[in-house]
Each structure stands twice: as C-alpha cells, then as structure tokens.
Amino acid sequence: MAVELVAFDLDGTIFDGGVIAPECVEAIVRLAEAGVRCVVNSGRSTDFQVELLAEYDLLPHFTALIGDERWIHLVDAGADDVELRSLEPWNTDVRNSWTELDPVAEDWARRVQQEAEQRAWPGRLSSRADSRRRGLWSVALDSADHARDLAIWLEPQLAGGPVAGNANGTIVHLYDAARDKGTSLLALAERLGLRAGEVLAFGDGFNDRPMLDGRHGFAAATIANADESVKRWVRDAGGPVAERISGLGVADVLATVFPSLRSTTSS
Ligand SMILES: [Mg+2]
C-alpha cells in the first residue's frame, strides 16, 4: 500500500539539538511537493509547532499538526498566509472527555510525584491551568531514566483504565487513554479518507509507542538515536531503523520509501 501520510515526532526525531537538519527539511519539502501529506505528531503544543515550522518555511508543507499528542488542527495554506482549522468534532470530544478525566489524572499525577519522592527523585507537578489547557497532567523529573522507570511503574496500575501514562523525555504524562499519538493519528487519517496502512509514522521515544508498535496498522520507522525498546517495536512491526540519527535518519528512510524523491545532488 502506498504511503499517503507521513507523521513526524519532533523532539529527538526531526528536531534535535535545537535544529531540524537541512537534509530533513529538504526531504519534507520534496515529499509535500509530490503530494504526500505530512503531519507533526508531538507532545509539544500546537503554538510551539507553528513557530518552529515557520522558522524553516515548512508550515505550508504540512497538512495538519497534532499538538500535545491530541489536539488536531488542519493547516490551510493560502497564497499569503497560513490558517489553522480545528478538527471537529474530534477536538471538542477530546475536551469533553478530559473534563471528566482531569481529576482522576490529577490524582494519578500526585501518586507519581509521591512515588518519585520515595525514590528520592524530585518531581514537579504541572499547574491545574496548564493541565486543563493541554489535556494532560505532567510530572517533570530530572532524568529521562527516572521518567521512564515511573512510566513503567505506572503501566500495570493504569492498564485497562480510562487514564494512561507515558514518559516523554524527562516528563511523565497522565492523559486520556483513548487519546494518544496513535488514536489521534488514526482520527486524522480517517478524516483524510486514508487507511492505516497508508500512514508512515516516525518516532524515537516511549510516548511514540501507540503510533509505532503496529497496533493500528501504521507503517513505522525510527532512527539510530531512538530508545532500544522503540527500535524493537518498530522492527517487530516490520519497519526500518535508520543508521543515522534524528533528521538525517528520517531523510534516509524517506529516500528509501520514496526513491523518486531522492535529491539529484545527494550521493
Ligand atoms: Mg521524541
């Protein structure tokens, strides 16, 4: 099945060390010009994504942005400006569902903070206003290993419940189990009239699992700097692990998946 939509995680995947590699920028532009739709699927806010992509003149090349892993906006690129359109009723459903789950997630976030304290790891809880706005509670740790250990500690306790947890870098997130990177991407694909098999997802971290482990039928790919567990999920789903890191690895995989888009200047 041909790939019609490519989803990119930001941090560690196409955005690393504060930059998007020029090879990756070029690959995305070529992809979009060939009519393949592109979406950012990141834990970063939509506002952050807009600013970052605008810096690289990439925003008009994206079909949609998924902010905080769940708010979906379609990008309407006109001749002079770019406008974002809320995907409805998805975003309203996400908001309504979160209004109910927010106190449950807050309770779990406080338990994570207590568990961190018992392990002598300082953990900073997100503010209530921030949690409402983003649709998730977070506990920020000092180390990515600590965040991962706490996410692993949480997993069996939350299994099957309405709230899920993951680790995104040094932060543990508590969120609506029905709205993660995987279900958000699936909702976008359905809105675009695409099947899951026409979607290719790139990610590098624990929180990318729902779009990388094959549960929804997306094609998946990752890069040399990804977590070892992420590489395993992608390999098990039949996807490639690039030999180079972050944006360079992404560009390499895109050149393999879309040979006709290869730059004439690259070797
Ligand atoms: Mg990442």
Side-chain angles (χ1 to χ4, degrees):
M1 205 175 283
V3 173
E4 300 288 347
L5 173 67
V6 181
F8 301 94
D9 167 53
L10 283 185
D11 291 83
T13 302
I14 65 168
F15 182 55
D16 201 10
V19 293
I20 303 177
E23 289 90 336
C24 184
V25 172
E26 190 191 338
I28 291 171
V29 170
R30 286 170 171 271
L31 201 60
E33 285 176 348
V36 177
R37 284 169 276 197
C38 298
V39 55
V40 170
N41 194 358
S42 162
R44 295 273 197 171
S45 71
T46 308
D47 288 349
F48 176 90
Q49 296 179 20
V50 167
E51 238 174 77
L52 177 72
L53 296 179
E55 206 180 301
Y56 290 88
D57 292 327
L58 276 177
L59 187 55
H61 297 290
F62 277 80
T63 293
L65 307 177
I66 302 178
D68 296 317
E69 302 185 2
R70 49 195 50 78
W71 309 109
I72 307 177
H73 287 87
L74 300 172
V75 179
D76 290 332
D80 300 320
D81 62 349
V82 177
E83 283 185 15
L84 296 189
R85 187 157 40 98
S86 175
L87 188 82
E88 295 298 343
W90 173 264
N91 285 348
T92 298
D93 290 347
V94 171
R95 172 65 60 205
N96 290 341
S97 167
W98 183 246
T99 303
E100 272 179 43
L101 291 178
D102 176 88
V104 185
E106 177 180 358
D107 185 47
W108 277 106
R110 292 188 186 280
R111 283 190 227 181
V112 169
Q113 195 184 27
Q114 277 167 15
E115 177 65 21
E117 245 166 56
Q118 280 179 14
R119 300 184 189 199
W121 302 337
R124 296 165 302 281
L125 196 68
S126 53
S127 73
R128 184 162 285 131
D130 214 37
S131 306
R132 289 239 168 98
R133 184 176 51 78
R134 299 187 66 198
L136 53 86
W137 277 87
S138 66
V139 182
L141 285 301
D142 287 337
S143 119
D145 286 343
H146 294 169
R148 236 197 89 155
D149 286 353
L150 287 166
I152 291 167
W153 169 81
L154 262 176
E155 203 176 340
Q157 306 184 71
L158 296 177
V163 169
N166 68 24
N168 185 358
T170 59
I171 302 170
V172 176
H173 283 157
L174 282 306
Y175 55 91
D176 181 347
R179 325 281 177 176
D180 59 26
K181 282 200 181 196
T183 50
S184 300
L185 183 56
L186 192 64
L188 175 66
E190 282 172 0
R191 179 58 67 91
L192 297 175
L194 302 175
R195 295 177 192 198
E198 295 172 300
V199 179
L200 168 62
F202 283 95
D204 72 310
F206 208 67
N207 61 322
D208 295 309
R209 183 171 192 171
M211 65 169 181
L212 298 182
D213 69 1
R215 73 182 70 175
H216 296 297
F218 305 138
T222 191
I223 51 201
N225 54 301
D227 253 42
E228 283 312 310
S229 48
V230 173
K231 291 179 184 173
R232 198 177 60 244
W233 300 329
V234 168
R235 283 198 189 102
D236 288 351
V241 177
E243 285 178 15
R244 296 201 289 172
I245 64 162
S246 50
L248 299 175
V250 170
D252 291 344
V253 172
L254 289 175
T256 307
V257 176
F258 304 94
S260 61
L261 301 181
R262 271 183 204 153
S263 163
T264 49
T265 55
S266 63
S267 54

